[in-house]
């Protein structure tokens, strides 16, 4: 490193050589630099709160529960007792006669729909760049999610084995 | 690879891509699946009619694909949780991905007969 470019006319250097003596000392302290993202009274208040952190945590918590619920569901519907062949109205009526399986399916419906909707929200946020496109895609997503969750909940609670 | 891309390739990126793709596919199936199940509120015949399509050989193959997507998403999701919450998770993310792939292959072989057996019997006789 050349001294000619860094040495000021009075002989002190603004940028010290890498292994040289420190430029600043007790009598000549370095200027205080604020941390880059320090919150101050001038920082605008966040309008989103901790929503994204809550969503991140929800994905992990619901994910663990869904692993159990969905793999159990797959075993019952597709693997055990003849696989998909036995599935029909009578099979559904038999399972939903039990509050346990009603609760299982209700929890699975809500967690899976919210987990999937939040996942798709992330995907839309990542790839849809125009504000209009994002708004419409998310509006469609939220409408489909609310509709599906409500429909599924209604079906589980109002199921009638003697419909015919 | 185009200059300036954020995509870094290898296990980290491709598992992330597979997690996204399987997640979106599962969500679309879930939407259809709630709709078809809702037919139990219409009539037993309407429900049994739509479920009969789930028992055809072609849809059985799609079901096998659904099982593949769900099992990968579930196992890799547990890996993501381990990366996020286990102090050594990030260091072992590659080993954990290959563990996920290994368990996935074993489970997919195990699911062959239960999920596709009835389709094979239908196509080639029992």
């Amino acid at each position: 490193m050349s001294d000619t470019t860094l040495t000021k006319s009075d002989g002190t250097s603004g940028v010290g050589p890498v292994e040289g003596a420190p430029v600043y000392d007790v009598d000549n302290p370095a200027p205080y630099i604020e941390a880059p993202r320090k919150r101050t009274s001038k920082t605008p208040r966040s309008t989103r709160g901790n929503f994204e952190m809550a969503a991140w945590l929800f994905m992990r918590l619901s994910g663990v529960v869904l692993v159990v619920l969905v793999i159990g569901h797959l075993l019952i519907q597709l693997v055990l007792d003849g696989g998909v062949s036995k599935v029909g109205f009578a099979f559904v009526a038999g399972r939903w006669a039990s509050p346990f399986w009603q609760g299982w399916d209700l929890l699975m419906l809500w967690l899976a729909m919210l987990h999937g909707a939040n996942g798709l929200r992330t995907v839309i946020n990542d790839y849809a760049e125009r504000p209009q496109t994002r708004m419409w895609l998310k509006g469609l997503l939220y409408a489909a999610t609310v509709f599906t969750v409500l429909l599924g909940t209604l079906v589980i609670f109002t199921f009638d084995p003697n419909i015919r | 690879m185009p200059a300036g891309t954020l995509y870094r390739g290898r296990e980290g990126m491709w598992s992330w891509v597979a997690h996204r793709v399987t997640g979106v596919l599962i969500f679309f199936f879930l939407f259809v699946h709630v709709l078809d199940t809702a037919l139990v509120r219409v009539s037993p015949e309407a429900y049994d009619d739509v479920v009969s399509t789930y028992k055809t050989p072609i849809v059985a193959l799609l079901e096998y694909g659904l099982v593949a997507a769900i099992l990968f998403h579930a196992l890799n999701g547990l890996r993501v949780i381990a990366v996020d919450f286990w102090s050594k998770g990030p260091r072992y993310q590659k080993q954990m991905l290959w563990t996920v792939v290994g368990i996935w292959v074993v489970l997919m072989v195990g699911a062959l007969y239960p999920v596709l057996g009835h389709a094979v019997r239908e196509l080639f006789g029992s």
Side-chain angles (χ1 to χ4, degrees), chain A residues 56 60 64 70 78-79 84-85 87-89 92 109 112-113 116-117 120 122 126-127 141 147-148 151 155 158-160 163-164, chain B residues 16 20 24 27 30-31 33-35 37-38 40-45 47-48 51 55 63 67 70 74 80-81 84-85 114 118:
Chain A
W56 175 88
R60 276 132 190 91
V64 172
V70 172
L78 293 181
V79 176
V84 77
S85 308
V87 178
F89 185 86
V92 176
L109 169 76
M113 281 306 296
L120 238 71
T122 309
D126 276 358
Y127 300 122
L141 171 68
F147 171 78
T148 311
L151 176 71
V155 167
T158 68
F159 178 71
D160 175 13
I163 189 168
R164 187 58 90 239
Chain B
W16 172 84
R20 281 217 150 168
V24 171
F27 186 72
L30 178 59
F31 180 65
H33 183 49
V34 174
L35 293 182
T37 306
V40 295
R41 286 301 292 135
V42 177
S43 73
E45 290 77 23
Y47 181 73
D48 287 344
V51 168
K55 301 175 185 177
E63 274 156 22
V67 171
I70 288 174
V80 169
I81 292 171
D84 284 349
F85 290 104
H118 68 93

Short mmCIF file of all heavy atoms in Angstrom, two decimals, chain A residues 56 60 64 70 78-79 84-85 87-89 92 109 112-113 116-117 120 122 126-127 141 147-148 151 155 158-160 163-164, chain B residues 16 20 24 27 30-31 33-35 37-38 40-45 47-48 51 55 63 67 70 74 80-81 84-85 114 118:
data_model
loop_
_atom_site.label_atom_id
_atom_site.label_comp_id
_atom_site.label_asym_id
_atom_site.label_seq_id
_atom_site.Cartn_x
_atom_site.Cartn_y
_atom_site.Cartn_z
N TRP A 56 -44.48 -18.31 9.89
CA TRP A 56 -43.32 -19.20 9.81
C TRP A 56 -43.42 -20.29 10.88
O TRP A 56 -43.23 -21.48 10.60
CB TRP A 56 -42.04 -18.36 10.01
CG TRP A 56 -40.76 -19.13 10.07
CD1 TRP A 56 -39.97 -19.49 9.00
CD2 TRP A 56 -40.10 -19.61 11.24
NE1 TRP A 56 -38.87 -20.17 9.46
CE2 TRP A 56 -38.93 -20.26 10.82
CE3 TRP A 56 -40.39 -19.56 12.61
CZ2 TRP A 56 -38.03 -20.85 11.71
CZ3 TRP A 56 -39.50 -20.17 13.49
CH2 TRP A 56 -38.34 -20.79 13.04
N ARG A 60 -44.30 -24.76 10.73
CA ARG A 60 -43.54 -25.85 11.36
C ARG A 60 -44.40 -26.64 12.34
O ARG A 60 -44.34 -27.88 12.36
CB ARG A 60 -42.29 -25.26 12.01
CG ARG A 60 -41.16 -25.10 11.02
CD ARG A 60 -40.49 -23.74 11.04
NE ARG A 60 -39.59 -23.58 9.90
CZ ARG A 60 -39.98 -23.05 8.74
NH1 ARG A 60 -41.21 -22.62 8.57
NH2 ARG A 60 -39.11 -22.96 7.74
N VAL A 64 -45.67 -30.64 11.63
CA VAL A 64 -45.43 -31.83 12.46
C VAL A 64 -46.72 -32.59 12.71
O VAL A 64 -46.79 -33.82 12.57
CB VAL A 64 -44.78 -31.42 13.81
CG1 VAL A 64 -44.70 -32.61 14.74
CG2 VAL A 64 -43.40 -30.86 13.57
N VAL A 70 -51.90 -36.90 8.20
CA VAL A 70 -52.03 -37.23 6.77
C VAL A 70 -51.50 -38.64 6.49
O VAL A 70 -52.11 -39.40 5.74
CB VAL A 70 -51.30 -36.19 5.90
CG1 VAL A 70 -51.25 -36.62 4.45
CG2 VAL A 70 -51.99 -34.83 6.02
N LEU A 78 -55.70 -45.81 1.74
CA LEU A 78 -55.06 -46.39 0.55
C LEU A 78 -54.30 -47.69 0.80
O LEU A 78 -53.96 -48.38 -0.14
CB LEU A 78 -54.08 -45.38 -0.07
CG LEU A 78 -54.68 -44.12 -0.68
CD1 LEU A 78 -53.58 -43.23 -1.26
CD2 LEU A 78 -55.68 -44.45 -1.77
N VAL A 79 -54.01 -48.01 2.07
CA VAL A 79 -53.12 -49.15 2.31
C VAL A 79 -53.85 -50.28 3.05
O VAL A 79 -53.96 -51.39 2.54
CB VAL A 79 -51.87 -48.72 3.10
CG1 VAL A 79 -51.01 -49.92 3.45
CG2 VAL A 79 -51.07 -47.70 2.29
N VAL A 84 -57.79 -48.68 -1.60
CA VAL A 84 -58.85 -47.76 -2.02
C VAL A 84 -60.12 -48.50 -2.39
O VAL A 84 -61.21 -47.92 -2.43
CB VAL A 84 -58.34 -46.88 -3.20
CG1 VAL A 84 -58.35 -47.66 -4.51
CG2 VAL A 84 -59.16 -45.60 -3.33
N SER A 85 -60.02 -49.83 -2.62
CA SER A 85 -61.19 -50.59 -3.10
C SER A 85 -62.38 -50.54 -2.16
O SER A 85 -63.53 -50.57 -2.60
CB SER A 85 -60.78 -52.05 -3.33
OG SER A 85 -59.62 -52.12 -4.14
N VAL A 87 -63.28 -48.07 -0.18
CA VAL A 87 -63.80 -46.74 0.10
C VAL A 87 -65.12 -46.52 -0.63
O VAL A 87 -65.26 -46.83 -1.81
CB VAL A 87 -62.78 -45.65 -0.32
CG1 VAL A 87 -63.37 -44.26 -0.07
CG2 VAL A 87 -61.50 -45.82 0.46
N GLY A 88 -66.11 -46.04 0.10
CA GLY A 88 -67.42 -45.74 -0.47
C GLY A 88 -68.25 -45.05 0.59
O GLY A 88 -67.75 -44.78 1.70
N PHE A 89 -69.51 -44.75 0.28
CA PHE A 89 -70.37 -44.04 1.23
C PHE A 89 -70.46 -44.79 2.55
O PHE A 89 -70.36 -44.19 3.63
CB PHE A 89 -71.76 -43.85 0.63
CG PHE A 89 -72.66 -43.03 1.50
CD1 PHE A 89 -72.65 -41.64 1.42
CD2 PHE A 89 -73.52 -43.62 2.42
CE1 PHE A 89 -73.47 -40.87 2.23
CE2 PHE A 89 -74.34 -42.86 3.23
CZ PHE A 89 -74.31 -41.48 3.14
N VAL A 92 -67.34 -44.30 4.65
CA VAL A 92 -67.31 -42.95 5.25
C VAL A 92 -68.29 -42.88 6.42
O VAL A 92 -67.96 -42.37 7.50
CB VAL A 92 -67.66 -41.89 4.19
CG1 VAL A 92 -67.74 -40.50 4.83
CG2 VAL A 92 -66.64 -41.88 3.07
N LEU A 109 -58.37 -31.14 8.02
CA LEU A 109 -58.89 -30.18 7.02
C LEU A 109 -58.39 -28.77 7.30
O LEU A 109 -57.83 -28.11 6.41
CB LEU A 109 -60.43 -30.21 7.04
CG LEU A 109 -61.13 -29.11 6.26
CD1 LEU A 109 -61.06 -29.39 4.77
CD2 LEU A 109 -62.58 -28.96 6.70
N ALA A 112 -54.40 -28.53 7.16
CA ALA A 112 -53.87 -28.70 5.80
C ALA A 112 -54.23 -27.52 4.92
O ALA A 112 -53.41 -27.02 4.14
CB ALA A 112 -54.40 -30.00 5.20
N MET A 113 -55.48 -27.02 5.03
CA MET A 113 -55.88 -25.89 4.19
C MET A 113 -55.10 -24.62 4.56
O MET A 113 -54.66 -23.89 3.67
CB MET A 113 -57.38 -25.65 4.33
CG MET A 113 -58.26 -26.59 3.55
SD MET A 113 -57.87 -26.70 1.79
CE MET A 113 -58.24 -25.03 1.25
N GLY A 116 -51.44 -25.13 3.48
CA GLY A 116 -51.33 -25.02 2.03
C GLY A 116 -51.57 -23.61 1.54
O GLY A 116 -50.86 -23.11 0.65
N ALA A 117 -52.56 -22.92 2.13
CA ALA A 117 -52.84 -21.55 1.71
C ALA A 117 -51.66 -20.64 2.02
O ALA A 117 -51.28 -19.80 1.19
CB ALA A 117 -54.10 -21.03 2.41
N LEU A 120 -48.95 -21.32 -0.53
CA LEU A 120 -49.23 -20.71 -1.83
C LEU A 120 -49.09 -19.19 -1.77
O LEU A 120 -48.67 -18.55 -2.73
CB LEU A 120 -50.62 -21.10 -2.31
CG LEU A 120 -50.56 -21.81 -3.67
CD1 LEU A 120 -49.96 -23.20 -3.48
CD2 LEU A 120 -51.92 -21.90 -4.33
N THR A 122 -46.88 -17.65 -0.01
CA THR A 122 -45.45 -17.42 -0.15
C THR A 122 -45.01 -17.53 -1.61
O THR A 122 -44.22 -16.72 -2.10
CB THR A 122 -44.68 -18.46 0.70
OG1 THR A 122 -45.21 -18.45 2.02
CG2 THR A 122 -43.20 -18.14 0.73
N ASP A 126 -43.45 -14.63 -4.02
CA ASP A 126 -42.13 -14.79 -4.62
C ASP A 126 -42.13 -14.53 -6.12
O ASP A 126 -41.18 -13.98 -6.65
CB ASP A 126 -41.61 -16.22 -4.37
CG ASP A 126 -40.95 -16.35 -3.01
OD1 ASP A 126 -40.86 -15.34 -2.30
OD2 ASP A 126 -40.51 -17.46 -2.67
N TYR A 127 -43.19 -14.96 -6.81
CA TYR A 127 -43.11 -14.96 -8.27
C TYR A 127 -43.98 -13.92 -8.95
O TYR A 127 -43.68 -13.53 -10.08
CB TYR A 127 -43.45 -16.36 -8.81
CG TYR A 127 -42.54 -17.44 -8.31
CD1 TYR A 127 -43.03 -18.53 -7.61
CD2 TYR A 127 -41.16 -17.35 -8.51
CE1 TYR A 127 -42.19 -19.52 -7.13
CE2 TYR A 127 -40.31 -18.33 -8.03
CZ TYR A 127 -40.84 -19.41 -7.34
OH TYR A 127 -40.00 -20.37 -6.86
N LEU A 141 -56.94 -17.03 -4.00
CA LEU A 141 -56.47 -18.03 -3.04
C LEU A 141 -57.27 -17.97 -1.75
O LEU A 141 -57.74 -19.01 -1.25
CB LEU A 141 -54.98 -17.80 -2.76
CG LEU A 141 -54.37 -18.63 -1.62
CD1 LEU A 141 -54.32 -20.10 -1.98
CD2 LEU A 141 -52.98 -18.12 -1.26
N PHE A 147 -63.80 -20.86 1.24
CA PHE A 147 -64.88 -21.70 0.71
C PHE A 147 -64.63 -23.18 1.05
O PHE A 147 -65.52 -23.88 1.55
CB PHE A 147 -64.98 -21.52 -0.81
CG PHE A 147 -65.91 -22.49 -1.47
CD1 PHE A 147 -67.28 -22.31 -1.40
CD2 PHE A 147 -65.40 -23.60 -2.15
CE1 PHE A 147 -68.14 -23.21 -2.01
CE2 PHE A 147 -66.25 -24.50 -2.76
CZ PHE A 147 -67.62 -24.31 -2.68
N THR A 148 -63.42 -23.66 0.81
CA THR A 148 -63.12 -25.08 1.01
C THR A 148 -63.17 -25.46 2.48
O THR A 148 -63.72 -26.51 2.84
CB THR A 148 -61.73 -25.40 0.43
OG1 THR A 148 -61.65 -24.87 -0.90
CG2 THR A 148 -61.48 -26.89 0.38
N LEU A 151 -66.89 -25.38 3.56
CA LEU A 151 -67.62 -26.50 2.97
C LEU A 151 -67.27 -27.81 3.68
O LEU A 151 -68.15 -28.58 4.08
CB LEU A 151 -67.30 -26.61 1.47
CG LEU A 151 -67.94 -27.80 0.75
CD1 LEU A 151 -69.44 -27.60 0.62
CD2 LEU A 151 -67.31 -28.02 -0.63
N VAL A 155 -69.67 -30.24 5.89
CA VAL A 155 -69.92 -31.64 5.51
C VAL A 155 -69.65 -32.56 6.70
O VAL A 155 -70.43 -33.48 6.97
CB VAL A 155 -69.05 -32.02 4.30
CG1 VAL A 155 -69.03 -33.53 4.10
CG2 VAL A 155 -69.56 -31.33 3.04
N THR A 158 -72.54 -31.93 9.38
CA THR A 158 -73.94 -32.21 9.00
C THR A 158 -74.09 -33.54 8.30
O THR A 158 -75.15 -33.84 7.75
CB THR A 158 -74.49 -31.11 8.07
OG1 THR A 158 -73.81 -31.18 6.81
CG2 THR A 158 -74.31 -29.73 8.66
N PHE A 159 -73.03 -34.39 8.34
CA PHE A 159 -73.10 -35.67 7.65
C PHE A 159 -74.30 -36.50 8.17
O PHE A 159 -74.50 -36.61 9.38
CB PHE A 159 -71.81 -36.45 7.85
CG PHE A 159 -71.83 -37.80 7.21
CD1 PHE A 159 -71.78 -37.93 5.84
CD2 PHE A 159 -71.93 -38.96 7.99
CE1 PHE A 159 -71.83 -39.18 5.25
CE2 PHE A 159 -71.98 -40.21 7.40
CZ PHE A 159 -71.93 -40.33 6.02
N ASP A 160 -75.06 -37.05 7.23
CA ASP A 160 -76.25 -37.83 7.60
C ASP A 160 -76.15 -39.21 6.96
O ASP A 160 -76.31 -39.36 5.74
CB ASP A 160 -77.51 -37.09 7.10
CG ASP A 160 -78.77 -37.91 7.35
OD1 ASP A 160 -78.70 -38.90 8.11
OD2 ASP A 160 -79.81 -37.54 6.79
N ILE A 163 -79.11 -40.43 4.68
CA ILE A 163 -79.54 -39.43 3.71
C ILE A 163 -80.50 -40.04 2.71
O ILE A 163 -81.39 -39.37 2.19
CB ILE A 163 -78.30 -38.79 3.01
CG1 ILE A 163 -78.70 -37.59 2.15
CG2 ILE A 163 -77.55 -39.81 2.19
CD1 ILE A 163 -77.51 -36.76 1.68
N ARG A 164 -80.35 -41.35 2.43
CA ARG A 164 -81.27 -42.01 1.52
C ARG A 164 -82.22 -42.90 2.30
O ARG A 164 -81.77 -43.72 3.08
CB ARG A 164 -80.46 -42.87 0.51
CG ARG A 164 -81.24 -43.49 -0.61
CD ARG A 164 -81.99 -42.50 -1.49
NE ARG A 164 -81.22 -42.01 -2.63
CZ ARG A 164 -80.97 -40.71 -2.79
NH1 ARG A 164 -81.36 -39.84 -1.88
NH2 ARG A 164 -80.32 -40.31 -3.85
N TRP B 16 -35.41 -27.57 -1.96
CA TRP B 16 -36.34 -26.45 -1.82
C TRP B 16 -37.32 -26.41 -3.00
O TRP B 16 -38.52 -26.24 -2.82
CB TRP B 16 -35.52 -25.16 -1.73
CG TRP B 16 -36.28 -23.88 -1.76
CD1 TRP B 16 -36.87 -23.24 -0.70
CD2 TRP B 16 -36.50 -23.04 -2.90
NE1 TRP B 16 -37.45 -22.07 -1.13
CE2 TRP B 16 -37.24 -21.92 -2.47
CE3 TRP B 16 -36.15 -23.13 -4.25
CZ2 TRP B 16 -37.64 -20.90 -3.33
CZ3 TRP B 16 -36.54 -22.12 -5.11
CH2 TRP B 16 -37.28 -21.02 -4.64
N ARG B 20 -41.42 -27.05 -2.86
CA ARG B 20 -42.42 -26.12 -3.42
C ARG B 20 -43.35 -26.84 -4.38
O ARG B 20 -44.57 -26.70 -4.28
CB ARG B 20 -41.70 -25.04 -4.25
CG ARG B 20 -41.13 -23.99 -3.45
CD ARG B 20 -41.22 -22.66 -4.08
NE ARG B 20 -41.29 -21.77 -2.92
CZ ARG B 20 -41.17 -20.47 -2.98
NH1 ARG B 20 -40.99 -19.89 -4.13
NH2 ARG B 20 -41.24 -19.76 -1.89
N VAL B 24 -47.38 -27.35 -3.82
CA VAL B 24 -48.43 -26.77 -4.67
C VAL B 24 -49.33 -27.88 -5.22
O VAL B 24 -50.57 -27.76 -5.22
CB VAL B 24 -47.80 -25.94 -5.80
CG1 VAL B 24 -48.86 -25.52 -6.81
CG2 VAL B 24 -47.10 -24.71 -5.24
N PHE B 27 -51.68 -29.13 -2.55
CA PHE B 27 -52.73 -28.16 -2.24
C PHE B 27 -53.86 -28.23 -3.27
O PHE B 27 -55.04 -28.20 -2.90
CB PHE B 27 -52.16 -26.74 -2.18
CG PHE B 27 -53.15 -25.71 -1.71
CD1 PHE B 27 -53.55 -25.66 -0.39
CD2 PHE B 27 -53.69 -24.80 -2.61
CE1 PHE B 27 -54.47 -24.71 0.04
CE2 PHE B 27 -54.61 -23.85 -2.18
CZ PHE B 27 -55.00 -23.81 -0.85
N LEU B 30 -55.84 -31.29 -2.62
CA LEU B 30 -56.66 -31.13 -1.41
C LEU B 30 -57.96 -30.40 -1.72
O LEU B 30 -59.04 -30.78 -1.24
CB LEU B 30 -55.85 -30.37 -0.35
CG LEU B 30 -56.57 -30.05 0.97
CD1 LEU B 30 -57.02 -31.32 1.65
CD2 LEU B 30 -55.64 -29.26 1.87
N PHE B 31 -57.86 -29.35 -2.55
CA PHE B 31 -59.04 -28.59 -2.96
C PHE B 31 -60.06 -29.50 -3.64
O PHE B 31 -61.24 -29.54 -3.27
CB PHE B 31 -58.58 -27.46 -3.89
CG PHE B 31 -59.69 -26.59 -4.38
CD1 PHE B 31 -60.43 -25.80 -3.50
CD2 PHE B 31 -60.00 -26.55 -5.73
CE1 PHE B 31 -61.45 -24.99 -3.97
CE2 PHE B 31 -61.03 -25.74 -6.20
CZ PHE B 31 -61.76 -24.96 -5.32
N HIS B 33 -60.18 -32.75 -3.46
CA HIS B 33 -60.55 -33.84 -2.57
C HIS B 33 -61.67 -33.43 -1.60
O HIS B 33 -62.55 -34.22 -1.29
CB HIS B 33 -59.30 -34.29 -1.80
CG HIS B 33 -59.52 -35.45 -0.91
ND1 HIS B 33 -60.16 -36.61 -1.31
CD2 HIS B 33 -59.19 -35.67 0.39
CE1 HIS B 33 -60.21 -37.46 -0.30
NE2 HIS B 33 -59.64 -36.92 0.75
N VAL B 34 -61.62 -32.17 -1.12
CA VAL B 34 -62.70 -31.70 -0.25
C VAL B 34 -64.00 -31.61 -1.05
O VAL B 34 -65.07 -31.98 -0.56
CB VAL B 34 -62.34 -30.34 0.38
CG1 VAL B 34 -63.52 -29.76 1.16
CG2 VAL B 34 -61.14 -30.49 1.32
N LEU B 35 -63.88 -31.16 -2.32
CA LEU B 35 -65.08 -31.08 -3.16
C LEU B 35 -65.68 -32.46 -3.40
O LEU B 35 -66.90 -32.65 -3.29
CB LEU B 35 -64.75 -30.41 -4.49
CG LEU B 35 -64.36 -28.93 -4.44
CD1 LEU B 35 -64.12 -28.39 -5.85
CD2 LEU B 35 -65.44 -28.10 -3.75
N THR B 37 -65.36 -35.17 -1.59
CA THR B 37 -65.91 -35.71 -0.35
C THR B 37 -67.24 -35.04 0.01
O THR B 37 -68.12 -35.67 0.61
CB THR B 37 -64.90 -35.53 0.80
OG1 THR B 37 -63.66 -36.11 0.41
CG2 THR B 37 -65.38 -36.20 2.07
N ALA B 38 -67.39 -33.77 -0.40
CA ALA B 38 -68.63 -33.05 -0.10
C ALA B 38 -69.84 -33.72 -0.75
O ALA B 38 -70.98 -33.48 -0.34
CB ALA B 38 -68.52 -31.60 -0.56
N VAL B 40 -70.84 -36.58 -0.31
CA VAL B 40 -71.59 -37.42 0.64
C VAL B 40 -72.83 -36.68 1.14
O VAL B 40 -73.76 -37.31 1.65
CB VAL B 40 -70.73 -37.85 1.86
CG1 VAL B 40 -69.59 -38.75 1.45
CG2 VAL B 40 -70.24 -36.65 2.65
N ARG B 41 -72.86 -35.34 0.99
CA ARG B 41 -74.03 -34.57 1.39
C ARG B 41 -75.06 -34.49 0.27
O ARG B 41 -76.15 -33.97 0.46
CB ARG B 41 -73.63 -33.15 1.81
CG ARG B 41 -72.96 -33.05 3.16
CD ARG B 41 -73.81 -33.57 4.30
NE ARG B 41 -74.98 -32.73 4.56
CZ ARG B 41 -76.20 -33.20 4.77
NH1 ARG B 41 -76.42 -34.49 4.75
NH2 ARG B 41 -77.21 -32.39 5.00
N VAL B 42 -74.68 -34.98 -0.93
CA VAL B 42 -75.63 -34.98 -2.05
C VAL B 42 -76.41 -36.30 -2.05
O VAL B 42 -77.62 -36.31 -1.87
CB VAL B 42 -74.90 -34.75 -3.38
CG1 VAL B 42 -75.88 -34.84 -4.54
CG2 VAL B 42 -74.19 -33.40 -3.37
N SER B 43 -75.69 -37.40 -2.24
CA SER B 43 -76.33 -38.71 -2.16
C SER B 43 -75.25 -39.78 -2.14
O SER B 43 -74.15 -39.56 -2.65
CB SER B 43 -77.26 -38.94 -3.36
OG SER B 43 -76.50 -39.17 -4.51
N PRO B 44 -75.54 -40.95 -1.56
CA PRO B 44 -74.56 -42.03 -1.56
C PRO B 44 -74.14 -42.40 -2.99
O PRO B 44 -72.97 -42.70 -3.22
CB PRO B 44 -75.31 -43.20 -0.90
CG PRO B 44 -76.35 -42.54 -0.06
CD PRO B 44 -76.75 -41.30 -0.79
N GLU B 45 -75.10 -42.34 -3.94
CA GLU B 45 -74.77 -42.71 -5.32
C GLU B 45 -73.78 -41.73 -5.93
O GLU B 45 -72.84 -42.13 -6.60
CB GLU B 45 -76.06 -42.75 -6.17
CG GLU B 45 -77.00 -43.88 -5.84
CD GLU B 45 -77.79 -43.62 -4.56
OE1 GLU B 45 -77.94 -42.43 -4.18
OE2 GLU B 45 -78.25 -44.59 -3.92
N TYR B 47 -71.59 -39.92 -4.40
CA TYR B 47 -70.26 -40.11 -3.81
C TYR B 47 -69.61 -41.38 -4.35
O TYR B 47 -68.45 -41.35 -4.78
CB TYR B 47 -70.37 -40.18 -2.29
CG TYR B 47 -69.02 -40.35 -1.62
CD1 TYR B 47 -68.12 -39.30 -1.56
CD2 TYR B 47 -68.64 -41.59 -1.08
CE1 TYR B 47 -66.88 -39.45 -0.97
CE2 TYR B 47 -67.40 -41.75 -0.48
CZ TYR B 47 -66.52 -40.68 -0.43
OH TYR B 47 -65.30 -40.84 0.13
N ASP B 48 -70.35 -42.49 -4.34
CA ASP B 48 -69.78 -43.76 -4.82
C ASP B 48 -69.38 -43.65 -6.29
O ASP B 48 -68.41 -44.28 -6.72
CB ASP B 48 -70.78 -44.90 -4.61
CG ASP B 48 -70.89 -45.28 -3.14
OD1 ASP B 48 -70.00 -44.89 -2.36
OD2 ASP B 48 -71.87 -45.97 -2.78
N VAL B 51 -66.07 -41.76 -6.39
CA VAL B 51 -65.01 -42.57 -5.79
C VAL B 51 -64.61 -43.73 -6.72
O VAL B 51 -63.47 -44.16 -6.73
CB VAL B 51 -65.44 -43.09 -4.40
CG1 VAL B 51 -64.49 -44.16 -3.89
CG2 VAL B 51 -65.49 -41.95 -3.41
N LYS B 55 -60.76 -45.55 -8.30
CA LYS B 55 -60.34 -46.96 -8.30
C LYS B 55 -59.88 -47.44 -9.66
O LYS B 55 -59.51 -48.60 -9.81
CB LYS B 55 -61.49 -47.82 -7.78
CG LYS B 55 -61.93 -47.40 -6.38
CD LYS B 55 -63.16 -48.15 -5.89
CE LYS B 55 -63.61 -47.60 -4.55
NZ LYS B 55 -64.84 -48.22 -4.06
N GLU B 63 -52.64 -41.62 -7.79
CA GLU B 63 -52.61 -41.75 -6.33
C GLU B 63 -51.20 -42.10 -5.86
O GLU B 63 -50.73 -41.60 -4.84
CB GLU B 63 -53.58 -42.85 -5.86
CG GLU B 63 -55.00 -42.35 -5.67
CD GLU B 63 -56.02 -43.47 -5.79
OE1 GLU B 63 -55.65 -44.65 -5.60
OE2 GLU B 63 -57.19 -43.16 -6.08
N VAL B 67 -49.03 -40.01 -3.25
CA VAL B 67 -48.32 -40.57 -2.10
C VAL B 67 -46.86 -40.15 -2.16
O VAL B 67 -46.26 -39.75 -1.15
CB VAL B 67 -48.47 -42.10 -2.06
CG1 VAL B 67 -47.55 -42.71 -1.01
CG2 VAL B 67 -49.91 -42.48 -1.77
N ILE B 70 -46.62 -36.44 -1.17
CA ILE B 70 -46.89 -36.22 0.26
C ILE B 70 -45.74 -36.74 1.11
O ILE B 70 -45.28 -36.06 2.04
CB ILE B 70 -48.22 -36.89 0.66
CG1 ILE B 70 -49.39 -36.11 0.07
CG2 ILE B 70 -48.35 -36.98 2.18
CD1 ILE B 70 -50.74 -36.76 0.29
N ALA B 74 -43.54 -34.43 3.48
CA ALA B 74 -43.55 -34.68 4.93
C ALA B 74 -42.13 -34.88 5.45
O ALA B 74 -41.73 -34.25 6.44
CB ALA B 74 -44.42 -35.90 5.23
N VAL B 80 -36.50 -29.69 7.21
CA VAL B 80 -36.48 -28.22 7.32
C VAL B 80 -36.59 -27.80 8.79
O VAL B 80 -35.88 -26.90 9.25
CB VAL B 80 -37.63 -27.62 6.49
CG1 VAL B 80 -37.81 -26.13 6.80
CG2 VAL B 80 -37.39 -27.82 5.00
N ILE B 81 -37.48 -28.48 9.54
CA ILE B 81 -37.63 -28.17 10.96
C ILE B 81 -36.31 -28.43 11.69
O ILE B 81 -35.89 -27.63 12.54
CB ILE B 81 -38.78 -29.00 11.57
CG1 ILE B 81 -40.11 -28.52 10.98
CG2 ILE B 81 -38.80 -28.88 13.09
CD1 ILE B 81 -41.29 -29.40 11.32
N ASP B 84 -33.91 -25.69 10.99
CA ASP B 84 -34.26 -24.44 11.67
C ASP B 84 -34.04 -24.50 13.17
O ASP B 84 -33.64 -23.51 13.78
CB ASP B 84 -35.73 -24.09 11.41
CG ASP B 84 -35.94 -23.53 10.00
OD1 ASP B 84 -34.93 -23.23 9.35
OD2 ASP B 84 -37.10 -23.42 9.58
N PHE B 85 -34.34 -25.64 13.80
CA PHE B 85 -34.38 -25.68 15.26
C PHE B 85 -33.22 -26.45 15.90
O PHE B 85 -32.96 -26.27 17.08
CB PHE B 85 -35.71 -26.27 15.74
CG PHE B 85 -36.88 -25.36 15.50
CD1 PHE B 85 -37.77 -25.60 14.46
CD2 PHE B 85 -37.09 -24.25 16.31
CE1 PHE B 85 -38.85 -24.75 14.24
CE2 PHE B 85 -38.17 -23.40 16.10
CZ PHE B 85 -39.03 -23.65 15.06
N PRO B 114 -49.74 -52.05 -2.04
CA PRO B 114 -51.03 -51.58 -1.51
C PRO B 114 -51.74 -50.57 -2.42
O PRO B 114 -52.96 -50.60 -2.54
CB PRO B 114 -50.64 -50.91 -0.17
CG PRO B 114 -49.35 -51.52 0.20
CD PRO B 114 -48.64 -51.82 -1.09
N HIS B 118 -54.33 -53.29 -6.83
CA HIS B 118 -55.67 -53.51 -7.39
C HIS B 118 -55.71 -53.11 -8.86
O HIS B 118 -56.43 -53.72 -9.65
CB HIS B 118 -56.71 -52.74 -6.58
CG HIS B 118 -56.59 -51.24 -6.71
ND1 HIS B 118 -57.30 -50.53 -7.64
CD2 HIS B 118 -55.82 -50.34 -6.04
CE1 HIS B 118 -56.99 -49.24 -7.53
NE2 HIS B 118 -56.10 -49.10 -6.57
#
